[in-house]
């Protein structure tokens, strides 16, 4: 994330702070790479407190004045990004530091949505909901957290809200019937881009999407989208332009068949690998994700994204990538940022040390609810497997706490609450089963019919 082109700080005091920040970052990276044990809250908080102390000193040195970005700012950004992901990993997802990485990703997503001018109402709704949640975290920030960090995040959140507002205005310019068509076109465009980046290109798949586009094209009257009264709908030109872009993209994709020119093959291979890895994590994240792993994906994506000149990449001879390559690479970057956003948003308020127990209880709860919704059980005996599993988890507690060695990991309340919910559902099912068995006992035995 930092490059030789970024200058070193000129102030000797800033250089001393930079040295200490680099030591903190190195410690965070070492802690991130250690897979032999769970990440402990006390280890994270020790490094966080050291980071906050350096931020205080930096504020005293700069006294509100900042004369251009230097290497210190980049290292500080890396430290905040890492510490943010560590807070997610230890389950402190509702505290200010955990919000830093999420705001970085939201800003990236909004930058790309603004640049491409391709987004759906669902994209904006999701980001709006997340920003609302982050605002609540900032409003409830306690004195332990750095005022600098709180202010930084508040400014980021305000900027993201402003960008979101501008994007909403674009959609508000469309009449309601056109908003549905617009969203459908966005979906088709993304589906074609996905088909274009699959390991095996399918002409038939893309042709089906192209056929859907032509069906939409045929609903136009005189090159315009009109209402039942024959009047042109507001925003017709915008949607018509998007339709043209989609049709053009379908022709290009069918012509190129997923083949990327050699000069850009390295970037493409890296982005495909990142996209595929993040896609797998999005499916198995409850069992396999350590949030700090997202740092490496973000660094790679940021480097490739920031290597663009005037929005495009250049080959070794300084020639810009053609439209097909540019759009393909941008799709992969945006898709990957989208996965990172989803994974961060899905982070559970439970330490990774307790996640195995938490995930088992989540699965048990889903199973018990499914049993309940399908009519319950015929006998108490059918509940034995669930009861035994719940009791075995309950017996893991020491003085009411789930311990890992001598540590009490974060998220005790969430795991205990989930365990209690499972016991409650199990109890309801048992009572219903017992009542059913009693009813069958007292029911009169049918008498044989005597002819």
């Amino acid at each position: 994330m930092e490059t030789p082109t970024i200058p070193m700080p000129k102030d000797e005091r800033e250089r001393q702070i930079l040295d200490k920040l680099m030591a903190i970052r190195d410690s965070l990276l070492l802690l991130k790479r250690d897979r032999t044990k769970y990440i402990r809250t006390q280890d994270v908080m020790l490094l966080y407190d050291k980071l906050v102390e350096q931020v205080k000193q930096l504020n005293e040195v700069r006294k509100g004045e900042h004369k251009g970005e230097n290497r210190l700012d980049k290292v500080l950004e890396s430290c905040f990004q890492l510490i943010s992901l560590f807070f997610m990993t230890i389950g402190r997802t509702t505290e200010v530091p955990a919000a830093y990485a999420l705001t970085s990703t939201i800003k990236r997503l909004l930058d790309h949505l603004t640049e491409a001018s391709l987004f759906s109402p669902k994209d904006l709704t999701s980001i709006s909901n997340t920003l609302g949640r982050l605002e609540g975290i900032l409003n409830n920030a306690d004195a332990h957290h750095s005022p600098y960090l709180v202010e930084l995040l508040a400014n980021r959140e305000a900027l993201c809200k402003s960008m979101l507002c501008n994007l909403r205005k674009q959609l508000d310019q469309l009449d309601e019937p056109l908003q549905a068509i617009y969203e459908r076109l966005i979906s088709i465009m993304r589906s074609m881009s996905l088909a274009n980046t699959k390991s095996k290109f399918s002409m038939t798949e893309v042709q089906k999407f192209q056929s859907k586009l032509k069906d939409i094209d045929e609903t136009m009257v005189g090159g315009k989208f009109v209402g039942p009264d024959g009047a042109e709908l507001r925003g017709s030109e915008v949607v018509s332009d998007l339709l043209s872009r989609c049709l053009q993209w379908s022709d290009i994709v069918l012509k190129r068949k997923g083949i990327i020119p050699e000069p850009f093959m390295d970037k493409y291979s890296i982005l495909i690998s990142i996209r595929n890895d993040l896609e797998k994590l999005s499916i198995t994240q409850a069992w396999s994700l350590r949030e700090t792993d997202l740092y490496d994906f973000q660094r790679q994506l940021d480097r490739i994204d920031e290597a663009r000149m005037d929005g495009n990449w250049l080959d070794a001879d300084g020639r810009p990538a053609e439209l097909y390559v540019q759009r393909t690479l941008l799709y992969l970057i945006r898709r990957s940022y989208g996965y990172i956003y989803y994974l961060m948003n899905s982070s559970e308020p439970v330490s990774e040390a307790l996640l195995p127990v938490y995930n088992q209880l989540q699965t048990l709860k889903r199973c018990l609810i499914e049993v309940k919704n399908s009519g319950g059980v015929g006998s108490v005996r059918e509940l034995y497997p669930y009861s035994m599993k719940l009791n075995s988890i309950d017996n893991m507690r020491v003085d009411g706490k789930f311990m890992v060695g001598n540590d009490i990991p974060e998220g005790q309340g969430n795991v205990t609450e989930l365990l209690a919910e499972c016991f409650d559902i199990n109890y309801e099912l048992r009572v219903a089963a017992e009542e059913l068995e009693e009813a069958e006992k007292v029911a009169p035995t049918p008498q044989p019919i005597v002819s």
Side-chain angles (χ1 to χ4, degrees), residues 397-408:
R397 294 195 284 178
V398 178
D399 296 328
K401 300 281 194 302
F402 289 95
M403 307 283 289
V404 176
N406 295 320
D407 297 327
I408 304 175

Side-chain angles (χ1 to χ4, degrees), residues 26 187 250 295 315 356 417 419:
D26 291 344
S187 176
S250 67
Y295 177 78
D315 64 15
E417 183 182 346
L419 178 61

Side-chain angles (χ1 to χ4, degrees), residues 32-290:
K32 179 182 84 70
R33 289 172 188 146
D34 186 0
R35 310 295 293 205
T36 61
K37 57 181 180 291
Y38 293 116
I39 292 172
R40 302 188 311 161
T41 298
Q42 53 265 48
D43 294 335
V44 175
M45 295 310 297
L46 178 65
L47 291 167
Y48 175 66
D49 290 339
K50 287 183 179 180
L51 177 59
V52 169
E53 179 58 34
Q54 294 309 307
V55 170
K56 283 181 184 175
Q57 291 186 27
L58 180 61
N59 285 340
E60 289 171 9
V61 169
R62 289 181 172 173
K63 294 176 182 175
E65 295 182 7
H66 188 20
K67 299 173 183 178
E69 188 177 76
N70 60 41
R71 189 171 173 82
L72 187 153
D73 297 285
K74 281 295 184 183
V75 175
L76 180 61
E77 181 185 335
S78 295
C79 288
F80 273 137
Q81 192 78 11
L82 278 163
I83 210 78
S84 180
L85 294 168
F86 270 109
F87 265 70
M88 291 184 191
T89 305
I90 63 174
R92 298 175 82 153
T93 58
T94 58
E95 295 188 30
V96 170
Y100 185 92
L102 198 45
T103 57
S104 298
T105 304
I106 289 173
K107 175 66 168 56
R108 286 274 179 184
L109 286 172
L110 288 171
D111 283 339
H112 278 282
L113 292 178
T114 302
E115 178 188 26
S117 196
L118 290 170
F119 50 89
S120 71
K122 290 178 183 176
D123 296 330
L124 305 190
T125 300
S126 174
I127 292 175
S128 177
N129 291 339
T130 303
L131 286 174
R133 181 167 61 82
L134 295 182
E135 183 180 15
I137 292 174
L138 290 173
N139 290 340
N140 295 316
D142 60 39
H144 175 71
H145 296 304
S146 164
Y148 168 84
L149 179 56
V150 175
E151 183 183 357
L152 174 65
L153 289 174
N155 291 337
R156 274 195 184 186
E157 188 220 0
L159 174 60
C160 289
K161 281 187 173 178
S162 174
M163 296 176 72
L164 193 64
C165 183
N166 290 333
L167 293 175
R168 281 194 190 283
K169 286 177 183 175
Q170 293 183 42
L171 290 182
D172 290 341
Q173 294 172 6
L174 307 178
D175 273 336
E176 196 170 326
L178 279 184
Q179 290 190 14
I181 296 173
Y182 183 90
E183 189 165 357
R184 192 177 170 205
L185 288 173
I186 294 292
S187 176
I188 293 172
M189 173 78 94
R190 290 174 177 173
S191 297
M192 286 192 297
S193 295
L194 173 60
N196 178 53
T197 55
K198 287 183 178 178
S199 56
K200 188 175 181 182
F201 182 81
S202 169
M203 290 280 288
T204 308
E205 186 178 4
V206 179
Q207 284 168 344
K208 284 180 181 176
F209 292 128
Q210 189 180 61
S211 177
K212 290 178 181 179
L213 292 171
K214 290 176 179 177
D215 289 342
I216 295 172
D217 188 39
E218 288 173 4
T219 65
M220 299 174 73
V221 178
K224 299 174 181 177
F225 290 97
V226 299
D229 58 356
E232 183 178 357
L233 293 169
R234 186 167 56 95
S236 171
E237 191 175 333
V238 173
V239 180
S240 165
D241 178 60
L242 176 57
L243 176 59
S244 297
R245 288 171 68 184
C246 289
L247 285 167
Q248 180 195 27
W249 182 235
S250 67
D251 287 336
I252 294 172
V253 169
L254 286 170
K255 181 180 178 182
R256 301 302 294 268
K257 300 182 180 64
I259 299 171
I260 298 293
E262 188 60 38
F264 296 97
M265 197 62 200
D266 285 349
K267 285 185 176 64
Y268 178 77
S269 298
I270 292 169
L271 290 173
I272 281 287
S273 175
I274 292 172
R275 193 273 311 268
N276 291 347
D277 287 344
L278 289 169
E279 185 177 27
K280 287 173 191 170
L281 278 174
S282 71
I283 297 169
T284 63
Q285 58 97 11
W287 301 95
S288 59
L289 175 68
R290 177 186 265 192

